Every structure is written in structure tokens, then in C-alpha cells.
């Protein structure tokens, strides 16, 4: 039971959303596109970077608004419904994947990649593929969207311990999101690495500030 719904709706979001905005600003200071004019599909490296950087903020902001408003007031269930929420969720998730274009537009700006970089990237990609396989086989993509916020029956389903989840309970954040580091290293792209770091730190801000607090409501403090 949520005692003060408005307070819970905004709980920790100054650290979550505020942190993302601050990290966004810091990231912009770390990348200089003035000396380069690389393009990919007719889009400059700078514009690829700006597009990529906005997607985590858009995605996590959307998830926070939907999850918290659903837990507090059943807003999504009473308006657009869970299916529409999921469609929008995956549309934004796909937009995040388009960020890979940045590593092509910014190729070699950090270092010239060779077999060592490609080997490290391959390891990251293997972990990503195994994570997605485990999500599909054991966890379920609907559960990954936060269906436990909408369907009370999920509170009785134990946390997944099979597949990669046996080794890393939060494998989606630990390994799947890290795939952007794989692209950054394989391309030797500084801008892609900054974006990958922003994305990785940002998703853990989401976990500790939003998801972990929501779990206490859904599953209890235990």
C-alpha cells in the first residue's frame, strides 16, 4: 500500500532524471566534433551523437511516468492500456538500437581498432546474445517491459535464476546494455564510448532510483 502516492511518484527522480540531464551535459563537453566532418547515411557524427544521447532520457523518462503512475493511480490501465504502453516501449527501444549508426559516423576517432579491440568486442557481443537468449527463453520480453507493474499475479512469480540470470540476477542491465561498449571498442569511436558510458550509468540510475523502489511496493521489502 502506497501511503503518499504523489511523494512516491516523484521519489528519487531528482537523482534519476536530474542525473541523466547532468550526465548528458557532461557528455557533450567530452566530445568535440568541430575537427571532423564524418557522416553516415548523410547524417553527421554530431547529429548521430545528439540523437543517440536523447534516447535513454526519452526511454527512461517514459518508463518512470508509466510505471509510477500505474502503481499509484492505475493511469495506464485506465487510459491507453498495457498493450499500447508495450508498443511505445519497444518503439523507443528500437530507436535506441539505431544509435549504432554513431560508431560508423565516428569510426576511428578514439583509436584505430585492431584484433585486440575486435576480440574484446566479440566477448561483449557474445554476452549480449546469451543475455537476450536467456530473456526470451526464461524471463520473457513482456516481463522485461515491467508487466509486474500492471499484472498483480506477477508478484508471486520468483525472480529468474536460469540461464545467464544464474550468474547475474540483473543480467539485462549488466550485460545487455553493455553492448554499446562493444560497438564503441570495435569502431574505436570516442563518441560511441561516451554514449555507451552515459547509457550504462543511466540504466543503473533507473534501477536504483525507480525499479528497486517499485519492487518494494510490488514484492514487499524482502
Amino acid at each position: 500500500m502506497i501511503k503518499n502516492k504523489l511523494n512516491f511518484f516523484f521519489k528519487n527522480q531528482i537523482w534519476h532524471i536530474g542525473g541523466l540531464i547532468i550526465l548528458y551535459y557532461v557528455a557533450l563537453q567530452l566530445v568535440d566534433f568541430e575537427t571532423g566532418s564524418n557522416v553516415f547515411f548523410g547524417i553527421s557524427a554530431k547529429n548521430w551523437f545528439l540523437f543517440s544521447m536523447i534516447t535513454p532520457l526519452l526511454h527512461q523518462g517514459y518508463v518512470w511516468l508509466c510505471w509510477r503512475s500505474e502503481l499509484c493511480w492505475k493511469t495506464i490501465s485506465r487510459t491507453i492500456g498495457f498493450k499500447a504502453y508495450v508498443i511505445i516501449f519497444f518503439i523507443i527501444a528500437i530507436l535506441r538500437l539505431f544509435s549504432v549508426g554513431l560508431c560508423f559516423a565516428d569510426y576511428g576517432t578514439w583509436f584505430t581498432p585492431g584484433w585486440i579491440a575486435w576480440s574484446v568486442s566479440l566477448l561483449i557481443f557474445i554476452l549480449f546474445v546469451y543475455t537476450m537468449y536467456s530473456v526470451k527463453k526464461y524471463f520473457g520480453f513482456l516481463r522485461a517491459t515491467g508487466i509486474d507493474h500492471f499484472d498483480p499475479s506477477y508478484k508471486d512469480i520468483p525472480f529468474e535464476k536460469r540461464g545467464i540470470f544464474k550468474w547475474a540476477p540483473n543480467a539485462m542491465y549488466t550485460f545487455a546494455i553493455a553492448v554499446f561498449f562493444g560497438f564503441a571498442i570495435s569502431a574505436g569511436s570516442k563518441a560511441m564510448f561516451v554514449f555507451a558510458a552515459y547509457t550504462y550509468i543511466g540504466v543503473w540510475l533507473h534501477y536504483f532510483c525507480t525499479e528497486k523502489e517499485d519492487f518494494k511496493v510490488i514484492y514487499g521489502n524482502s
Side-chain angles (χ1 to χ4, degrees):
M1 179 67 68
I2 302 172
K3 294 181 179 179
N4 190 318
K5 293 181 178 180
L6 190 60
N7 280 354
F8 178 73
F9 180 78
F10 288 104
K11 186 175 183 179
N12 291 342
Q13 294 311 303
I14 190 172
W15 306 111
H16 177 210
I17 304 301
L20 283 174
I21 293 172
I22 292 172
L23 288 171
Y24 186 102
Y25 174 78
V26 172
L28 291 178
Q29 311 311 307
L30 296 176
V31 183
D32 179 18
F33 294 101
E34 299 302 323
T35 58
S37 57
N38 292 345
V39 298
F40 181 64
F41 280 143
I43 302 173
S44 68
K46 181 177 181 179
N47 286 334
W48 273 112
F49 181 71
L50 294 174
F51 164 77
S52 300
M53 291 291 291
I54 201 67
T55 54
L57 182 59
L58 178 64
H59 200 188
Q60 291 175 213
Y62 171 73
V63 169
W64 157 55
L65 289 172
C66 291
W67 283 5
R68 288 285 173 88
S69 65
E70 179 67 18
L71 287 178
C72 291
W73 304 288
K74 299 292 183 184
T75 303
I76 303 303
S77 296
R78 293 173 177 172
T79 54
I80 63 175
F82 177 69
K83 288 183 179 180
Y85 154 77
V86 169
I87 291 171
I88 298 171
F89 180 97
F90 280 119
I91 288 174
I92 302 175
I94 292 170
L95 287 176
R96 295 183 73 159
L97 294 178
F98 279 107
S99 301
V100 173
L102 174 62
C103 70
F104 294 100
D106 196 58
Y107 187 91
T109 58
W110 188 19
F111 61 86
T112 301
W115 68 269
I116 295 177
W118 295 329
S119 298
V120 172
S121 298
L122 180 61
L123 176 60
I124 295 173
F125 293 145
I126 289 172
L127 288 170
F128 169 77
V129 171
Y130 184 45
T131 299
M132 299 312 293
Y133 166 80
S134 297
V135 170
K136 182 180 185 301
K137 184 174 178 62
Y138 303 114
F139 194 78
F141 286 110
L142 279 183
R143 195 174 180 186
T145 67
I147 194 173
D148 49 2
H149 289 68
F150 301 85
D151 187 344
S153 67
Y154 274 79
K155 71 178 182 180
D156 299 320
I157 299 177
F159 285 93
E160 190 54 65
K161 297 294 183 182
R162 294 171 293 178
I164 200 169
F165 298 104
K166 179 179 180 181
W167 312 105
N170 204 338
M172 286 185 291
Y173 296 168
T174 305
F175 300 122
I177 296 297
V179 71
F180 293 112
F181 284 113
F183 285 107
I185 295 170
S186 65
S189 168
K190 180 181 179 182
M192 190 69 188
F193 187 85
V194 170
F195 164 69
Y198 169 74
T199 301
Y200 201 74
I201 296 171
V203 79
W204 284 104
L205 277 175
H206 160 75
Y207 173 73
F208 286 108
C209 296
T210 303
E211 190 167 4
K212 194 172 183 180
E213 293 300 321
D214 291 2
F215 283 170
K216 294 176 183 177
V217 173
I218 299 168
Y219 299 100
N221 289 325
S222 61

